[in-house]
Amino acid sequence: MMRGLHLAFVLLFTILVLYSKDCEAQCAPEDAKAWDPVRNESTYDRDPASINQPDGRPLGYQLDTLDYINDANARSPCVTVTGCINYVDIMVETDPLARICIEDITTDAATRELICQERISSCVPCPSEEVTYQFSCQGSSCDQSAVNFWFRFVLSDPAVLDPELWCFNRNTDEYPSSLYNNVPVPVTRAKTMPTGRGTSLGATFSLTLCAFLTVIFIARQ
Ligand SMILES: *[C@@H]1O[C@H](CO)[C@@H](O)[C@H](O)[C@H]1NC(C)=O
């Protein structure tokens, strides 16, 4: 009897570990919106008013929202970038300021990187020609309200000979909020260390539910 109980716990734990990634709300590839680039960067809208216009593209950024964590219909926003051949410069800023995470869900789960920052600035080699990025809140960052976020992907020209130099020369201060200031506040490029996934109450709940359903499913076999 004790042995059976012990086995059940080991099984439950194993399932929890195995499923912790897949069971989290992940966007379906068909739900991902397409990144719509402003190809000529010298035509970026630099008018701060663009931040409040419905289809505004301040500095080429696009807007989306991370739903309030207790919203029953909370989605996982996803964006697909196509034509990624060389390097991609990823920049994200939230409003209100919150720790946001971006994860390339196209790459194999074992090697993909999760970046969580208050402002994301990451210039990296393209993981694949078509990449889908999923956005999420880190930990309890979105526990108070929904959080708007601006995102931008700039692809380096495949003809660029030194893409690392191209990355180095990117303006890392160009967030939508910088349009409010006459003198841009210098922002040093944030370190893009992969961070552990924070567990919010919602995530813990879905995880537990997931493991529970799996146990029932196995028990019924
Ligand atoms: C980008 O836009 C600027 C300003 O409209 C224009 O002068 C320039 O020729 C454009 N560059 C390209 C590559 O189209």
Side-chain angles (χ1 to χ4, degrees), residues 44-86:
Y44 279 162
D45 194 341
R46 292 173 182 275
D47 181 355
S50 62
I51 291 175
N52 296 313
Q53 283 156 3
D55 295 317
R57 299 293 303 272
L59 293 167
Y61 282 79
Q62 224 168 299
L63 182 70
D64 205 337
T65 305
L66 285 161
D67 296 323
Y68 175 46
I69 198 141
N70 291 331
D71 183 340
N73 301 313
R75 314 154 304 133
S76 292
C78 275
V79 176
T80 296
V81 178
T82 48
C84 203
I85 308 291
N86 202 1

mmCIF file of all heavy atoms in Angstrom, residues 44-86:
data_model
loop_
_atom_site.group_PDB
_atom_site.id
_atom_site.type_symbol
_atom_site.label_atom_id
_atom_site.label_comp_id
_atom_site.label_asym_id
_atom_site.label_seq_id
_atom_site.Cartn_x
_atom_site.Cartn_y
_atom_site.Cartn_z
ATOM 1 N N TYR A 44 10.586 55.943 -40.104
ATOM 2 C CA TYR A 44 9.909 55.690 -38.827
ATOM 3 C C TYR A 44 9.131 56.916 -38.371
ATOM 4 O O TYR A 44 9.617 58.047 -38.488
ATOM 5 C CB TYR A 44 10.935 55.359 -37.722
ATOM 6 C CG TYR A 44 11.446 53.934 -37.705
ATOM 7 C CD1 TYR A 44 12.612 53.629 -37.012
ATOM 8 C CD2 TYR A 44 10.774 52.897 -38.348
ATOM 9 C CE1 TYR A 44 13.101 52.337 -36.969
ATOM 10 C CE2 TYR A 44 11.264 51.597 -38.305
ATOM 11 C CZ TYR A 44 12.427 51.322 -37.622
ATOM 12 O OH TYR A 44 12.905 50.048 -37.569
ATOM 13 N N ASP A 45 7.953 56.671 -37.807
ATOM 14 C CA ASP A 45 7.147 57.740 -37.243
ATOM 15 C C ASP A 45 7.783 58.158 -35.916
ATOM 16 O O ASP A 45 7.900 57.347 -34.992
ATOM 17 C CB ASP A 45 5.713 57.231 -37.017
ATOM 18 C CG ASP A 45 4.730 58.351 -36.758
ATOM 19 O OD1 ASP A 45 5.177 59.466 -36.389
ATOM 20 O OD2 ASP A 45 3.522 58.115 -36.924
ATOM 21 N N ARG A 46 8.229 59.417 -35.837
ATOM 22 C CA ARG A 46 8.889 59.903 -34.619
ATOM 23 C C ARG A 46 8.013 60.871 -33.839
ATOM 24 O O ARG A 46 8.477 61.554 -32.923
ATOM 25 C CB ARG A 46 10.236 60.557 -34.970
ATOM 26 C CG ARG A 46 11.214 59.531 -35.466
ATOM 27 C CD ARG A 46 12.513 60.096 -35.989
ATOM 28 N NE ARG A 46 13.326 58.985 -36.464
ATOM 29 C CZ ARG A 46 14.116 58.259 -35.686
ATOM 30 N NH1 ARG A 46 14.239 58.559 -34.410
ATOM 31 N NH2 ARG A 46 14.781 57.243 -36.187
ATOM 32 N N ASP A 47 6.761 60.928 -34.234
ATOM 33 C CA ASP A 47 5.820 61.797 -33.540
ATOM 34 C C ASP A 47 5.286 61.053 -32.305
ATOM 35 O O ASP A 47 4.676 59.999 -32.453
ATOM 36 C CB ASP A 47 4.676 62.143 -34.503
ATOM 37 C CG ASP A 47 3.662 63.076 -33.871
ATOM 38 O OD1 ASP A 47 3.783 63.376 -32.666
ATOM 39 O OD2 ASP A 47 2.741 63.495 -34.597
ATOM 40 N N PRO A 48 5.515 61.621 -31.092
ATOM 41 C CA PRO A 48 5.022 60.932 -29.888
ATOM 42 C C PRO A 48 3.523 60.637 -29.949
ATOM 43 O O PRO A 48 3.048 59.694 -29.319
ATOM 44 C CB PRO A 48 5.334 61.908 -28.754
ATOM 45 C CG PRO A 48 6.322 62.859 -29.292
ATOM 46 C CD PRO A 48 6.179 62.881 -30.781
ATOM 47 N N ALA A 49 2.761 61.434 -30.729
ATOM 48 C CA ALA A 49 1.313 61.219 -30.838
ATOM 49 C C ALA A 49 1.007 59.831 -31.420
ATOM 50 O O ALA A 49 -0.057 59.265 -31.163
ATOM 51 C CB ALA A 49 0.694 62.307 -31.705
ATOM 52 N N SER A 50 1.946 59.272 -32.190
ATOM 53 C CA SER A 50 1.723 57.955 -32.808
ATOM 54 C C SER A 50 1.536 56.871 -31.758
ATOM 55 O O SER A 50 0.942 55.822 -32.029
ATOM 56 C CB SER A 50 2.884 57.606 -33.740
ATOM 57 O OG SER A 50 4.099 57.534 -33.001
ATOM 58 N N ILE A 51 2.048 57.104 -30.547
ATOM 59 C CA ILE A 51 1.917 56.127 -29.459
ATOM 60 C C ILE A 51 0.448 55.915 -29.093
ATOM 61 O O ILE A 51 0.035 54.819 -28.731
ATOM 62 C CB ILE A 51 2.748 56.581 -28.228
ATOM 63 C CG1 ILE A 51 4.243 56.492 -28.564
ATOM 64 C CG2 ILE A 51 2.417 55.767 -26.981
ATOM 65 C CD1 ILE A 51 5.167 57.012 -27.487
ATOM 66 N N ASN A 52 -0.342 56.985 -29.227
ATOM 67 C CA ASN A 52 -1.745 56.887 -28.825
ATOM 68 C C ASN A 52 -2.708 56.703 -29.988
ATOM 69 O O ASN A 52 -3.916 56.673 -29.782
ATOM 70 C CB ASN A 52 -2.122 58.129 -28.011
ATOM 71 C CG ASN A 52 -1.325 58.187 -26.720
ATOM 72 O OD1 ASN A 52 -1.217 57.199 -26.006
ATOM 73 N ND2 ASN A 52 -0.723 59.328 -26.446
ATOM 74 N N GLN A 53 -2.179 56.601 -31.199
ATOM 75 C CA GLN A 53 -3.060 56.365 -32.344
ATOM 76 C C GLN A 53 -3.311 54.865 -32.491
ATOM 77 O O GLN A 53 -2.399 54.064 -32.265
ATOM 78 C CB GLN A 53 -2.424 56.931 -33.630
ATOM 79 C CG GLN A 53 -2.552 58.439 -33.714
ATOM 80 C CD GLN A 53 -1.491 59.075 -34.587
ATOM 81 O OE1 GLN A 53 -0.672 58.374 -35.194
ATOM 82 N NE2 GLN A 53 -1.492 60.393 -34.621
ATOM 83 N N PRO A 54 -4.551 54.482 -32.870
ATOM 84 C CA PRO A 54 -4.905 53.056 -32.925
ATOM 85 C C PRO A 54 -3.942 52.211 -33.783
ATOM 86 O O PRO A 54 -3.561 51.119 -33.387
ATOM 87 C CB PRO A 54 -6.305 53.065 -33.536
ATOM 88 C CG PRO A 54 -6.840 54.426 -33.276
ATOM 89 C CD PRO A 54 -5.677 55.357 -33.225
ATOM 90 N N ASP A 55 -3.552 52.739 -34.932
ATOM 91 C CA ASP A 55 -2.634 51.971 -35.769
ATOM 92 C C ASP A 55 -1.255 52.585 -35.799
ATOM 93 O O ASP A 55 -0.495 52.393 -36.757
ATOM 94 C CB ASP A 55 -3.196 51.854 -37.196
ATOM 95 C CG ASP A 55 -4.487 51.045 -37.206
ATOM 96 O OD1 ASP A 55 -4.526 50.007 -36.512
ATOM 97 O OD2 ASP A 55 -5.452 51.465 -37.877
ATOM 98 N N GLY A 56 -0.943 53.330 -34.738
ATOM 99 C CA GLY A 56 0.337 54.023 -34.689
ATOM 100 C C GLY A 56 1.512 53.051 -34.715
ATOM 101 O O GLY A 56 1.448 51.958 -34.170
ATOM 102 N N ARG A 57 2.600 53.470 -35.375
ATOM 103 C CA ARG A 57 3.814 52.650 -35.426
ATOM 104 C C ARG A 57 4.996 53.495 -34.960
ATOM 105 O O ARG A 57 5.915 53.763 -35.740
ATOM 106 C CB ARG A 57 4.046 52.146 -36.864
ATOM 107 C CG ARG A 57 2.940 51.258 -37.448
ATOM 108 C CD ARG A 57 2.829 49.917 -36.745
ATOM 109 N NE ARG A 57 4.079 49.179 -36.764
ATOM 110 C CZ ARG A 57 4.438 48.353 -37.746
ATOM 111 N NH1 ARG A 57 3.662 48.160 -38.777
ATOM 112 N NH2 ARG A 57 5.583 47.702 -37.679
ATOM 113 N N PRO A 58 4.996 53.945 -33.701
ATOM 114 C CA PRO A 58 6.111 54.783 -33.241
ATOM 115 C C PRO A 58 7.446 54.053 -33.407
ATOM 116 O O PRO A 58 7.590 52.916 -32.942
ATOM 117 C CB PRO A 58 5.788 55.028 -31.762
ATOM 118 C CG PRO A 58 4.837 53.931 -31.379
ATOM 119 C CD PRO A 58 4.056 53.615 -32.610
ATOM 120 N N LEU A 59 8.353 54.676 -34.107
ATOM 121 C CA LEU A 59 9.682 54.092 -34.368
ATOM 122 C C LEU A 59 9.585 52.693 -34.980
ATOM 123 O O LEU A 59 10.471 51.857 -34.795
ATOM 124 C CB LEU A 59 10.525 54.052 -33.087
ATOM 125 C CG LEU A 59 10.931 55.415 -32.525
ATOM 126 C CD1 LEU A 59 11.479 55.273 -31.098
ATOM 127 C CD2 LEU A 59 11.991 56.079 -33.416
ATOM 128 N N GLY A 60 8.479 52.430 -35.670
ATOM 129 C CA GLY A 60 8.305 51.139 -36.338
ATOM 130 C C GLY A 60 7.760 50.044 -35.441
ATOM 131 O O GLY A 60 7.542 48.921 -35.895
ATOM 132 N N TYR A 61 7.540 50.351 -34.173
ATOM 133 C CA TYR A 61 7.047 49.334 -33.230
ATOM 134 C C TYR A 61 5.588 48.996 -33.506
ATOM 135 O O TYR A 61 4.842 49.797 -34.068
ATOM 136 C CB TYR A 61 7.146 49.838 -31.779
ATOM 137 C CG TYR A 61 8.536 49.786 -31.186
ATOM 138 C CD1 TYR A 61 9.482 50.751 -31.488
ATOM 139 C CD2 TYR A 61 8.891 48.763 -30.308
ATOM 140 C CE1 TYR A 61 10.760 50.708 -30.928
ATOM 141 C CE2 TYR A 61 10.158 48.718 -29.738
ATOM 142 C CZ TYR A 61 11.091 49.694 -30.058
ATOM 143 O OH TYR A 61 12.338 49.650 -29.506
ATOM 144 N N GLN A 62 5.197 47.816 -33.070
ATOM 145 C CA GLN A 62 3.815 47.345 -33.144
ATOM 146 C C GLN A 62 3.344 47.099 -31.709
ATOM 147 O O GLN A 62 4.154 46.757 -30.845
ATOM 148 C CB GLN A 62 3.803 46.024 -33.928
ATOM 149 C CG GLN A 62 2.699 45.875 -34.952
ATOM 150 C CD GLN A 62 2.943 44.676 -35.858
ATOM 151 O OE1 GLN A 62 3.954 44.625 -36.558
ATOM 152 N NE2 GLN A 62 2.045 43.724 -35.839
ATOM 153 N N LEU A 63 2.037 47.229 -31.483
ATOM 154 C CA LEU A 63 1.497 47.122 -30.127
ATOM 155 C C LEU A 63 0.698 45.840 -29.925
ATOM 156 O O LEU A 63 -0.006 45.391 -30.810
ATOM 157 C CB LEU A 63 0.584 48.330 -29.866
ATOM 158 C CG LEU A 63 -0.051 48.453 -28.481
ATOM 159 C CD1 LEU A 63 0.994 48.786 -27.424
ATOM 160 C CD2 LEU A 63 -1.135 49.533 -28.492
ATOM 161 N N ASP A 64 0.829 45.264 -28.753
ATOM 162 C CA ASP A 64 -0.047 44.158 -28.354
ATOM 163 C C ASP A 64 -0.224 44.246 -26.828
ATOM 164 O O ASP A 64 0.369 45.109 -26.181
ATOM 165 C CB ASP A 64 0.545 42.797 -28.767
ATOM 166 C CG ASP A 64 -0.550 41.730 -28.947
ATOM 167 O OD1 ASP A 64 -1.647 41.873 -28.364
ATOM 168 O OD2 ASP A 64 -0.308 40.738 -29.658
ATOM 169 N N THR A 65 -1.022 43.333 -26.295
ATOM 170 C CA THR A 65 -1.345 43.393 -24.863
ATOM 171 C C THR A 65 -1.175 42.032 -24.206
ATOM 172 O O THR A 65 -1.565 41.008 -24.766
ATOM 173 C CB THR A 65 -2.815 43.847 -24.681
ATOM 174 O OG1 THR A 65 -2.998 45.082 -25.359
ATOM 175 C CG2 THR A 65 -3.149 44.038 -23.223
ATOM 176 N N LEU A 66 -0.580 42.057 -23.035
ATOM 177 C CA LEU A 66 -0.552 40.871 -22.183
ATOM 178 C C LEU A 66 -1.751 40.994 -21.269
ATOM 179 O O LEU A 66 -1.868 41.981 -20.537
ATOM 180 C CB LEU A 66 0.741 40.835 -21.360
ATOM 181 C CG LEU A 66 2.003 40.440 -22.105
ATOM 182 C CD1 LEU A 66 3.224 40.887 -21.334
ATOM 183 C CD2 LEU A 66 2.048 38.944 -22.338
ATOM 184 N N ASP A 67 -2.654 40.037 -21.333
ATOM 185 C CA ASP A 67 -3.880 40.142 -20.553
ATOM 186 C C ASP A 67 -3.602 40.057 -19.061
ATOM 187 O O ASP A 67 -2.593 39.493 -18.628
ATOM 188 C CB ASP A 67 -4.849 39.024 -20.956
ATOM 189 C CG ASP A 67 -5.280 39.165 -22.399
ATOM 190 O OD1 ASP A 67 -5.460 40.308 -22.843
ATOM 191 O OD2 ASP A 67 -5.425 38.128 -23.088
ATOM 192 N N TYR A 68 -4.521 40.640 -18.312
ATOM 193 C CA TYR A 68 -4.491 40.520 -16.856
ATOM 194 C C TYR A 68 -4.521 39.027 -16.524
ATOM 195 O O TYR A 68 -5.275 38.260 -17.123
ATOM 196 C CB TYR A 68 -5.719 41.244 -16.288
ATOM 197 C CG TYR A 68 -5.917 41.115 -14.810
ATOM 198 C CD1 TYR A 68 -4.857 41.281 -13.925
ATOM 199 C CD2 TYR A 68 -7.180 40.841 -14.286
ATOM 200 C CE1 TYR A 68 -5.053 41.177 -12.566
ATOM 201 C CE2 TYR A 68 -7.384 40.740 -12.922
ATOM 202 C CZ TYR A 68 -6.320 40.902 -12.067
ATOM 203 O OH TYR A 68 -6.501 40.797 -10.728
ATOM 204 N N ILE A 69 -3.689 38.629 -15.580
ATOM 205 C CA ILE A 69 -3.459 37.204 -15.330
ATOM 206 C C ILE A 69 -4.736 36.451 -14.934
ATOM 207 O O ILE A 69 -4.886 35.270 -15.225
ATOM 208 C CB ILE A 69 -2.321 37.029 -14.293
ATOM 209 C CG1 ILE A 69 -1.771 35.616 -14.361
ATOM 210 C CG2 ILE A 69 -2.773 37.379 -12.882
ATOM 211 C CD1 ILE A 69 -0.301 35.534 -14.200
ATOM 212 N N ASN A 70 -5.690 37.152 -14.303
ATOM 213 C CA ASN A 70 -6.924 36.476 -13.894
ATOM 214 C C ASN A 70 -8.031 36.557 -14.938
ATOM 215 O O ASN A 70 -9.147 36.108 -14.687
ATOM 216 C CB ASN A 70 -7.420 37.053 -12.569
ATOM 217 C CG ASN A 70 -6.489 36.682 -11.431
ATOM 218 O OD1 ASN A 70 -5.835 35.640 -11.476
ATOM 219 N ND2 ASN A 70 -6.399 37.536 -10.437
ATOM 220 N N ASP A 71 -7.702 37.109 -16.080
ATOM 221 C CA ASP A 71 -8.662 37.170 -17.170
ATOM 222 C C ASP A 71 -8.895 35.745 -17.686
ATOM 223 O O ASP A 71 -7.952 35.059 -18.088
ATOM 224 C CB ASP A 71 -8.078 38.062 -18.281
ATOM 225 C CG ASP A 71 -9.029 38.271 -19.446
ATOM 226 O OD1 ASP A 71 -9.955 37.462 -19.604
ATOM 227 O OD2 ASP A 71 -8.826 39.246 -20.183
ATOM 228 N N ALA A 72 -10.163 35.312 -17.662
ATOM 229 C CA ALA A 72 -10.476 33.932 -18.053
ATOM 230 C C ALA A 72 -10.071 33.650 -19.501
ATOM 231 O O ALA A 72 -9.738 32.525 -19.855
ATOM 232 C CB ALA A 72 -11.960 33.668 -17.866
ATOM 233 N N ASN A 73 -10.096 34.682 -20.336
ATOM 234 C CA ASN A 73 -9.766 34.479 -21.750
ATOM 235 C C ASN A 73 -8.347 34.934 -22.077
ATOM 236 O O ASN A 73 -8.049 35.257 -23.221
ATOM 237 C CB ASN A 73 -10.753 35.244 -22.637
ATOM 238 C CG ASN A 73 -12.170 34.812 -22.403
ATOM 239 O OD1 ASN A 73 -12.448 33.607 -22.351
ATOM 240 N ND2 ASN A 73 -13.082 35.753 -22.230
ATOM 241 N N ALA A 74 -7.491 34.985 -21.067
ATOM 242 C CA ALA A 74 -6.129 35.469 -21.287
ATOM 243 C C ALA A 74 -5.438 34.683 -22.402
ATOM 244 O O ALA A 74 -5.447 33.453 -22.402
ATOM 245 C CB ALA A 74 -5.330 35.387 -19.995
ATOM 246 N N ARG A 75 -4.862 35.409 -23.350
ATOM 247 C CA ARG A 75 -4.173 34.750 -24.466
ATOM 248 C C ARG A 75 -2.662 34.799 -24.217
ATOM 249 O O ARG A 75 -2.200 35.496 -23.336
ATOM 250 C CB ARG A 75 -4.410 35.491 -25.781
ATOM 251 C CG ARG A 75 -5.795 35.913 -26.125
ATOM 252 C CD ARG A 75 -5.728 37.130 -27.047
ATOM 253 N NE ARG A 75 -4.962 38.215 -26.443
ATOM 254 C CZ ARG A 75 -4.030 38.908 -27.056
ATOM 255 N NH1 ARG A 75 -3.712 38.658 -28.298
ATOM 256 N NH2 ARG A 75 -3.362 39.876 -26.429
ATOM 257 N N SER A 76 -1.935 34.090 -25.029
ATOM 258 C CA SER A 76 -0.486 34.218 -25.052
ATOM 259 C C SER A 76 -0.147 34.867 -26.380
ATOM 260 O O SER A 76 -0.231 34.213 -27.402
ATOM 261 C CB SER A 76 0.182 32.846 -24.991
ATOM 262 O OG SER A 76 -0.041 32.257 -23.752
ATOM 263 N N PRO A 77 0.182 36.135 -26.364
ATOM 264 C CA PRO A 77 0.449 36.785 -27.646
ATOM 265 C C PRO A 77 1.686 36.218 -28.335
ATOM 266 O O PRO A 77 2.703 35.947 -27.689
ATOM 267 C CB PRO A 77 0.665 38.252 -27.276
ATOM 268 C CG PRO A 77 0.434 38.372 -25.825
ATOM 269 C CD PRO A 77 0.361 37.026 -25.230
ATOM 270 N N CYS A 78 1.552 36.006 -29.629
ATOM 271 C CA CYS A 78 2.642 35.455 -30.431
ATOM 272 C C CYS A 78 2.791 36.229 -31.722
ATOM 273 O O CYS A 78 1.797 36.684 -32.279
ATOM 274 C CB CYS A 78 2.336 34.013 -30.809
ATOM 275 S SG CYS A 78 2.801 32.876 -29.558
ATOM 276 N N VAL A 79 4.022 36.335 -32.178
ATOM 277 C CA VAL A 79 4.308 37.057 -33.418
ATOM 278 C C VAL A 79 5.262 36.225 -34.262
ATOM 279 O O VAL A 79 6.234 35.674 -33.742
ATOM 280 C CB VAL A 79 4.958 38.432 -33.108
ATOM 281 C CG1 VAL A 79 5.352 39.143 -34.380
ATOM 282 C CG2 VAL A 79 4.009 39.303 -32.299
ATOM 283 N N THR A 80 4.941 36.122 -35.549
ATOM 284 C CA THR A 80 5.830 35.380 -36.448
ATOM 285 C C THR A 80 6.600 36.347 -37.339
ATOM 286 O O THR A 80 6.017 37.231 -37.961
ATOM 287 C CB THR A 80 5.022 34.393 -37.311
ATOM 288 O OG1 THR A 80 4.423 33.431 -36.445
ATOM 289 C CG2 THR A 80 5.923 33.661 -38.299
ATOM 290 N N VAL A 81 7.903 36.147 -37.352
ATOM 291 C CA VAL A 81 8.797 36.960 -38.170
ATOM 292 C C VAL A 81 9.256 36.089 -39.332
ATOM 293 O O VAL A 81 9.705 34.958 -39.120
ATOM 294 C CB VAL A 81 10.023 37.417 -37.336
ATOM 295 C CG1 VAL A 81 10.995 38.233 -38.174
ATOM 296 C CG2 VAL A 81 9.573 38.210 -36.111
ATOM 297 N N THR A 82 9.117 36.583 -40.544
ATOM 298 C CA THR A 82 9.581 35.799 -41.700
ATOM 299 C C THR A 82 10.737 36.507 -42.392
ATOM 300 O O THR A 82 10.914 37.717 -42.232
ATOM 301 C CB THR A 82 8.446 35.567 -42.721
ATOM 302 O OG1 THR A 82 7.800 36.815 -42.962
ATOM 303 C CG2 THR A 82 7.425 34.582 -42.204
ATOM 304 N N GLY A 83 11.503 35.750 -43.130
ATOM 305 C CA GLY A 83 12.631 36.307 -43.875
ATOM 306 C C GLY A 83 13.835 36.565 -42.998
ATOM 307 O O GLY A 83 14.671 37.409 -43.293
ATOM 308 N N CYS A 84 13.921 35.817 -41.891
ATOM 309 C CA CYS A 84 15.058 35.983 -40.970
ATOM 310 C C CYS A 84 16.224 35.139 -41.500
ATOM 311 O O CYS A 84 16.229 33.915 -41.380
ATOM 312 C CB CYS A 84 14.640 35.554 -39.566
ATOM 313 S SG CYS A 84 15.617 36.272 -38.242
ATOM 314 N N ILE A 85 17.166 35.798 -42.115
ATOM 315 C CA ILE A 85 18.264 35.086 -42.776
ATOM 316 C C ILE A 85 19.570 35.250 -41.994
ATOM 317 O O ILE A 85 20.334 34.314 -41.819
ATOM 318 C CB ILE A 85 18.496 35.635 -44.211
ATOM 319 C CG1 ILE A 85 17.185 35.640 -45.008
ATOM 320 C CG2 ILE A 85 19.585 34.854 -44.937
ATOM 321 C CD1 ILE A 85 16.637 34.291 -45.385
ATOM 322 N N ASN A 86 19.791 36.453 -41.493
ATOM 323 C CA ASN A 86 21.081 36.772 -40.905
ATOM 324 C C ASN A 86 20.938 37.029 -39.396
ATOM 325 O O ASN A 86 20.899 36.076 -38.622
ATOM 326 C CB ASN A 86 21.622 37.999 -41.646
ATOM 327 C CG ASN A 86 23.110 38.147 -41.534
ATOM 328 O OD1 ASN A 86 23.769 37.325 -40.911
ATOM 329 N ND2 ASN A 86 23.654 39.193 -42.121
#
